[in-house]
Amino acid sequence: MSASAARTLGVLGGGQLGRMFVHAAQRLGYSTAVLDPDPFSPAGLVSHHHIQTAYTDPNGLDQLARCCRAVTTEFENVPALALAHLARSISVAPGADAVSIAQDRIREKTYFASCGVPVAPYAVIETEAQLAAVSEQLLPGILKTARLGYDGKGQIRVQTHAELAHAWDKLQRTPCVLEQLLALQQECSVIVARGRDGSCVSLPLQCNRHRNGILAVTEIFEGNIPEALAQRADTATRTIASHLNYVGVLCVEFFVLASGELLANEMAPRPHNSGHYSIDACDVSQFELQVRTLADLPLVQPRQHSPALMLNLLGDIWPENGEPPWAKVLALPGAHLHLYGKTKASKGRKMGHLTLTGASMEAVRATAQQAAAILGIAPF
Ligand code: ATP
Ligand code: MG
């Protein structure tokens, strides 16, 4: 390995998660390499090296392997074959096996259950016979494609068997799961970082609110969920990571039911949108943890030093020509604005996020509501 490769960390995917990984890596003195075909990808724009090929292009992957000491991924839909290709010549974390489980809701649910972590009642729908055999108990439900869904894409809510059959047609009869539509008391997520030596640390539990299947608001403060529940979610996430012998940052999303039952929804083999607050409200962010796991640096338990609330900034709030009134938002105390460098704003597209920190959760919520009003985000 050349001296420059020994100081370079790589990432597959050039979205906002890759961009924040690049920022964290560079702060620790590393050079970075991003593989993403888009010449204007958010991470490619700020990285030392930007390899602009398809994720499956062996030449691009070899080029990445030559210029780095280790490679990670910023999205779970990266072809597992690309990770396996890289792993032949370079250290890759997380591994292709963990990523391929996270890519497939069917394998993911089976895996959670094998770890003793319950999931929502569901049925696999891959054949006509399975469709016909769906139990009434699962209706109303949500039909989800087993693969390639994100931000609520590839999901259809159904009330009846007839609607279910129609929805499966609409999803081109691709392998799906039908989940019972649950009355969610709360949604939360836990982010852990696990090193090659098996050491594991976690961020404080995040409480999440979604709108139209997309994360809208994350709140993180002590007591945001009963302590015993937070402990259970933390333990479940650590178990899920350790049974996979996982290396890297992993997020597990949970549903909390009124009964206090905790169900695992899905996992992301990478930093997660609900952990963005850690950049501004913790002494070690999820992206620094990702860098540390990749570079075999020590992991320390992050400490949150301020209550925090994160608002996602979707393309919906961009005016036709121009930008939202950032100066007004930045006039608020404890406002930390992150924009991802995307030039085209479209509905539902994640363009940035705003983290609010303050002395108390009440103060943070009050400024967050002011920010939402300024930006035209509905109050929450
Ligand atoms: P993301 O990429 O944003 O995590 P996704 O497309 O992978 O989303 P899910 O996490 O499965 O999709 O679902 C998105 C949201 O839809 C959930 O956070 C939750 O608010 C709602 N939802 C999903 N499944 C159920 C369910 N079985 N019952 C009730 N609500 C659900
Ligand atoms: Mg989700």
Side-chain angles (χ1 to χ4, degrees):
M1 191 187 309
S2 70
S4 81
R7 298 295 306 160
T8 304
L9 299 176
V11 58
L12 279 169
Q16 61 267 19
L17 299 174
R19 180 178 172 104
M20 290 182 268
F21 165 80
V22 163
H23 287 154
Q26 292 178 343
R27 199 164 63 99
L28 286 176
Y30 292 99
S31 296
T32 57
V34 169
L35 191 149
D36 189 303
D38 176 3
F40 300 105
S41 74
L45 289 174
V46 297
S47 178
H48 296 85
H49 308 280
H50 181 190
I51 300 159
Q52 295 171 29
T53 67
Y55 299 113
T56 45
D57 182 338
N59 291 326
L61 293 168
D62 288 339
Q63 210 182 320
L64 182 67
R66 273 198 301 277
C67 74
C68 300
R69 59 178 276 176
V71 174
T72 189
T73 178
E74 64 119 38
F75 68 127
E76 57 271 39
N77 292 330
V78 59
L81 274 177
L83 293 175
H85 182 99
L86 285 169
R88 276 187 238 134
S89 53
I90 192 175
S91 158
V92 176
D97 50 345
V99 174
S100 69
I101 292 176
Q103 281 174 350
D104 186 323
R105 288 186 193 275
I106 302 170
R107 289 184 63 199
E108 191 173 62
K109 285 178 192 301
T110 315
Y111 175 65
F112 288 156
S114 77
C115 293
V117 180
V119 299
Y122 74 102
V124 173
I125 300 184
E126 290 177 308
T127 64
E128 193 73 43
Q130 286 171 326
L131 177 73
V134 160
S135 146
E136 286 297 328
Q137 307 250 296
L138 293 179
L139 295 169
I142 306 186
L143 185 67
K144 303 181 178 182
T145 57
R147 302 175 69 84
L148 299 174
Y150 69 98
D151 288 348
K153 294 187 173 67
Q155 302 196 4
I156 303 178
R157 294 189 177 210
V158 293
Q159 303 287 332
T160 61
H161 256 115
E163 279 183 23
L164 172 62
H166 184 66
W168 196 44
D169 276 342
K170 229 173 136 182
L171 296 174
Q172 267 121 40
R173 300 186 156 229
T174 181
C176 283
V177 294
L178 174 71
E179 280 176 32
Q180 187 182 8
L181 181 67
L182 301 165
L184 308 181
Q185 167 103 344
Q186 242 177 338
E187 291 192 65
C188 59
S189 54
V190 175
I191 293 168
V192 300
R194 192 168 179 280
R196 235 169 272 282
D197 60 357
S199 59
C200 195
V201 300
S202 53
L203 289 178
L205 177 135
Q206 295 94 218
C207 282
N208 303 322
R209 266 177 266 175
H210 293 76
R211 281 181 180 155
N212 306 318
I214 306 177
L215 181 65
V217 182
T218 298
E219 283 191 328
I220 321 88
F221 60 97
E222 222 174 294
N224 57 359
I225 206 163
E227 183 51 34
L229 205 59
Q231 266 306 327
R232 266 160 57 207
D234 189 88
T235 305
T237 308
R238 286 168 184 256
T239 306
I240 287 165
S242 69
H243 284 199
L244 273 174
N245 212 1
Y246 190 87
V247 177
V249 169
L250 175 86
C251 176
V252 179
E253 295 177 11
F254 293 95
F255 296 148
V256 181
L257 306 186
S259 59
E261 215 179 325
L262 185 73
L263 305 174
N265 171 30
E266 59 174 357
M267 66 178 182
R270 50 166 173 79
H272 192 257
N273 195 167
S274 63
H276 291 357
Y277 76 95
S278 59
I279 298 174
D280 301 302
C282 295
D283 52 10
V284 191
S285 76
Q286 61 169 349
F287 299 102
E288 180 167 338
L289 290 173
Q290 186 184 25
V291 171
R292 290 185 184 219
T293 57
L294 198 60
D296 285 322
L297 294 170
L299 298 179
V300 292
Q301 181 62 36
R303 187 180 68 84
Q304 184 182 359
H305 47 69
S306 172
L309 187 153
M310 185 219 58
L311 288 176
N312 257 344
L313 305 175
L314 303 181
D316 312 47
I317 63 166
W318 260 246
E320 195 66 59
N321 292 305
E323 295 267 312
W326 301 131
K328 282 189 187 159
V329 171
L330 290 170
L332 297 171
H336 311 270
L337 178 64
H338 298 253
L339 295 171
Y340 306 147
K342 299 180 184 177
T343 44
K344 206 181 155 313
S346 53
K347 205 170 164 340
R349 186 168 196 214
K350 291 175 179 170
M351 301 293 288
H353 69 269
L354 181 72
T355 301
L356 290 313
T357 57
S360 69
M361 197 55 221
E362 291 67 36
V364 168
R365 275 202 188 125
T367 28
Q369 294 291 8
Q370 280 178 275
I374 292 166
L375 292 169
I377 298 172
F380 39 88

